[in-house]
Amino acid sequence: MVIKELYQINEAIRDKEVRVIGTDGAMIGVMSAQQAQHLADEADLDLVKISPTAVPPVCKIMDYSKFKYEQSKKDKENRKNQTQVEIKEIRLSMTIDVGDIAVKTKQCLKFLEAGNKVKVSIRMKGRENSRAYQGVKVMEDFFAGLDGKAVQDKKPTTEGRNITMMLSPVKA
């Protein structure tokens, strides 16, 4: 987040009247922008417009560089606490055997336990295009083999030469 674009500071504030909040958080009152800037200059701080949509706009007298630093620390902490959900892909074929499905199922369960979404796909070749229903059946059998440890976000659908299905982990 770029803070400079969000807040007007000091001489960039061109409003006739502003509501001013002091350094201690107490309301100073409504005054002209020049008077508020003069108060901020006396305190050797910055005048920052924190609520431009209010009538009159609300400005606060504060140390802008310290405010930017604290804001960037908060943003960094929030990004650290976020979890990125990745989409993993598992490819099947229409002629897959039982043992191969067991291996793919095991791999899919690993992805789901890690909290990732899984895209299961089949790419049809040649004559397989005329028998897309067989691919959908393979997908349904694959989903049944997951023993309820996954939820279908998107049911198996045929899109051109591909059959895709989206799975996500079951919420506890």
Side-chain angles (χ1 to χ4, degrees), residues 7-170:
Y7 300 101
Q8 289 180 343
I9 60 169
N10 297 330
E11 285 76 30
I13 300 171
R14 302 242 181 250
D15 299 296
K16 286 185 180 178
E17 283 189 333
V18 292
R19 185 175 307 272
V20 181
I21 299 173
T23 55
D24 57 352
M27 179 72 66
I28 295 176
V30 177
M31 60 183 72
S32 71
Q34 290 84 8
Q35 288 175 323
Q37 184 60 51
H38 183 70
L39 285 174
D41 290 340
E42 283 179 358
D44 198 26
L45 295 170
D46 300 307
L47 183 67
V48 181
K49 188 191 285 188
I50 55 174
S51 181
T53 56
V55 179
V58 179
C59 295
K60 188 171 183 180
I61 297 173
M62 66 171 90
D63 184 0
Y64 185 65
S65 58
K66 182 179 176 184
F67 174 71
K68 268 189 355 186
Y69 173 72
E70 289 172 353
Q71 204 62 22
S72 67
K73 276 181 68 174
K74 281 182 194 172
D75 291 344
K76 188 176 179 184
E77 188 67 30
N78 288 341
R79 280 194 303 273
K80 190 170 88 173
N81 292 336
Q82 281 182 342
T83 56
Q84 286 281 349
V85 176
E86 290 184 47
I87 297 179
K88 303 287 188 173
E89 184 170 5
I90 291 183
R91 288 211 159 170
L92 305 174
S93 69
M94 289 180 59
T95 58
I96 194 165
D97 198 24
V98 179
D100 296 332
I101 278 198
V103 170
K104 298 283 187 175
T105 303
K106 198 173 180 184
Q107 188 64 45
C108 183
L109 288 172
K110 279 185 191 174
F111 291 151
L112 293 168
E113 286 169 8
N116 298 316
K117 289 188 172 198
V118 179
K119 177 182 177 183
V120 183
S121 63
I122 294 177
R123 181 162 203 137
M124 296 180 287
K125 300 176 222 108
R127 286 190 219 162
E128 293 175 348
N129 284 316
S130 63
R131 295 186 175 84
Y133 63 90
Q134 286 180 339
V136 172
K137 184 174 180 340
V138 169
M139 290 275 200
E140 289 168 352
D141 292 344
F142 179 79
F143 180 69
L146 294 174
D147 300 324
K149 294 181 180 165
V151 178
Q152 275 185 341
D153 290 344
K154 185 177 144 195
K155 300 228 181 268
T157 55
T158 306
E159 299 160 358
R161 293 173 43 177
N162 297 317
I163 303 172
T164 58
M165 167 174 70
M166 286 295 290
L167 304 173
S168 60
V170 174

